[in-house]
Amino acid sequence: MIGKMSTGKSFRGCLNYLHEGRLQQSKALQEIEQEKKQAQVICFNQCFGNKKELIQQFNEVRHLNPKLSKPVLHASLSFAHSDQLSNQDKIDIGKQMAKDFGFENNQYVVIEHSDRQHQHLHIVANRVGYDAKTVSDSNNYKRMANFCRSMERKHQLEQVLSPRRFLSKEERMLPRQDIRKEALKEAITKFLKQSTTMKEFQNKITAKGYEMELGRGIAFTDAQAVRFKGSQVGYPLLKIEKQLAQNRQMQQVEQQKPSLAQQLRETILRSQKEEQLKKQQEDKQEIKQSGGFRL
């Protein structure tokens, strides 16, 4: 189980993203992205309604502490492929997080997405309570690691190592191979060999379950919502573009080369023409030797 937590300024932005996905260039693409997310609110606390109503309710309470610039608490929980939790298990985990992090009496929702092969949840909470007090966000990184380990034990989930900075001295000495990085690197290597354009490469890597971001650089997010820059796995954007350009050049060269079958046909035709020319020359010679008559 992998958990992440962050704070933000906008409930509208956070809930829009969780319900509709990343902002697309057209309405049609946005509808496809929204359908892919398959967002479902499975638990409401101190609030209720559709996305628009939730945003309004969260914002009304945040104004009880207008000085707080980041009232949004957003947590994501990703479970291993082997973990199969019931709907009640997911709700219980969301409620336990609210209790452990001190926002059980505040507004929060638990949202489930079904766009990946593994189960994963999002919890959006208002750091401002009805008493105008603010939930602390200090030391959330370590608290999240401890919470994940606790839930793994309680619900008999597949266990993962705690973040390295919180391991014991002995555990830190153990060699660790980042399986996620290796898997991503292997996928990039494979699909680069099969692609000649960035769009073709993106379609292949997306079909494998990765999200790809293009900008000044390139980044990939795997099925567990772990994000890597291309440079972290040995494939910065410049290297990928260079490889795709080389692939295009090789394809053009191959297209210009005649196929083996074509070469064989040309050889046969050339041989037939030579035989025909030889026969014509022999006929002429025979006619000449017979005084213009063929026997």
Side-chain angles (χ1 to χ4, degrees):
M1 176 178 170
I2 299 173
K4 292 184 177 182
M5 182 172 286
S6 62
T7 57
K9 297 180 179 180
S10 172
F11 286 108
R12 181 182 300 279
C14 184
L15 289 170
N16 276 343
Y17 169 72
L18 293 179
H19 280 82
E20 301 173 11
R22 297 182 185 277
L23 186 63
Q24 302 297 310
Q25 296 178 343
S26 69
K27 183 178 180 181
L29 290 174
Q30 193 67 60
E31 289 176 351
I32 294 173
E33 177 74 4
Q34 184 174 350
E35 178 66 24
K36 184 175 69 174
K37 280 291 179 185
Q38 298 183 51
Q40 180 183 4
V41 180
I42 61 174
C43 179
F44 296 88
N45 192 73
Q46 304 288 355
C47 57
F48 192 76
N50 57 32
K51 182 192 69 175
K52 184 177 180 181
E53 291 168 333
L54 289 173
I55 293 170
Q56 181 179 352
Q57 292 168 30
F58 275 104
N59 282 330
E60 287 173 352
V61 176
R62 75 177 289 182
H63 292 312
L64 296 176
N65 186 354
K67 293 182 179 180
L68 183 64
S69 62
K70 293 185 177 181
V72 183
L73 188 149
H74 174 208
S76 62
L77 301 175
S78 296
F79 303 94
H81 289 265
S82 59
D83 294 334
Q84 295 298 321
L85 293 90
S86 68
N87 209 49
Q88 189 58 52
D89 288 334
K90 300 167 193 173
I91 293 172
D92 290 343
I93 288 175
K95 289 183 176 180
Q96 189 63 52
M97 169 173 277
K99 183 177 180 181
D100 289 1
F101 284 80
F103 58 85
E104 69 269 28
N105 295 320
N106 290 23
Q107 296 169 314
Y108 71 83
V109 289
V110 180
I111 300 174
E112 180 181 25
H113 283 165
S114 302
D115 59 332
R116 298 185 184 277
Q117 294 180 349
H118 67 283
Q119 295 179 322
H120 66 286
L121 305 174
H122 294 267
I123 294 95
V124 180
N126 198 336
R127 292 180 61 207
V128 180
Y130 286 99
D131 56 3
K133 293 182 179 179
T134 302
V135 173
S136 172
D137 64 344
S138 64
N139 215 15
N140 273 349
Y141 191 70
K142 183 175 182 178
R143 292 165 67 194
M144 176 61 83
N146 291 336
F147 173 75
C148 288
R149 304 297 79 76
S150 173
M151 292 299 98
E152 287 169 353
R153 292 189 294 270
K154 181 176 180 179
H155 294 272
Q156 298 181 337
L157 306 176
E158 183 175 331
Q159 296 186 10
V160 300
L161 284 174
S162 301
R164 199 167 184 82
R165 58 183 289 196
F166 301 120
L167 295 177
S168 67
K169 187 175 181 180
E170 292 75 19
E171 289 175 317
R172 290 183 190 181
M173 297 300 292
L174 294 173
R176 297 178 69 190
Q177 181 183 18
D178 195 329
I179 299 175
R180 292 188 184 86
K181 279 188 179 181
E182 292 302 318
L184 174 58
K185 185 175 181 179
E186 183 179 334
I188 293 174
T189 302
K190 175 182 177 181
F191 296 131
L192 264 182
K193 290 179 180 179
Q194 302 173 357
S195 306
T196 57
T197 67
M198 187 65 74
K199 184 64 177 176
E200 185 180 2
F201 170 67
Q202 183 174 9
N203 289 340
K204 292 180 184 295
I205 202 78
T206 301
K208 186 68 175 177
Y210 293 95
E211 290 185 9
M212 191 177 96
E213 302 172 43
L214 270 177
R216 293 184 178 180
I218 192 167
F220 304 88
T221 303
D222 69 10
Q224 283 75 40
V226 180
R227 184 178 182 273
F228 296 103
K229 293 181 180 179
S231 57
Q232 290 179 287
V233 291
Y235 281 100
L237 179 58
L238 186 62
K239 182 176 179 179
I240 290 176
E241 290 177 335
K242 184 177 180 180
Q243 181 64 57
L244 292 173
Q246 290 176 351
N247 291 351
R248 286 194 294 274
Q249 291 177 351
M250 288 295 295
Q251 186 184 67
Q252 290 172 359
V253 170
E254 290 297 324
Q255 289 174 347
Q256 291 172 358
K257 289 182 180 179
S259 66
L260 182 61
Q262 183 180 350
Q263 292 180 41
L264 183 59
R265 284 196 298 270
E266 290 176 353
T267 301
I268 292 172
L269 287 173
R270 188 163 52 248
S271 177
Q272 290 174 343
K273 287 181 180 180
E274 289 175 354
E275 287 291 333
Q276 187 178 18
L277 181 61
K278 183 178 178 181
K279 184 70 168 56
Q280 290 175 350
Q281 290 174 347
E282 289 176 349
D283 289 346
K284 288 181 180 179
Q285 185 67 24
E286 184 179 349
I287 292 172
K288 185 178 180 180
Q289 290 177 351
S290 63
F293 295 96
R294 298 190 63 175
L295 301 177

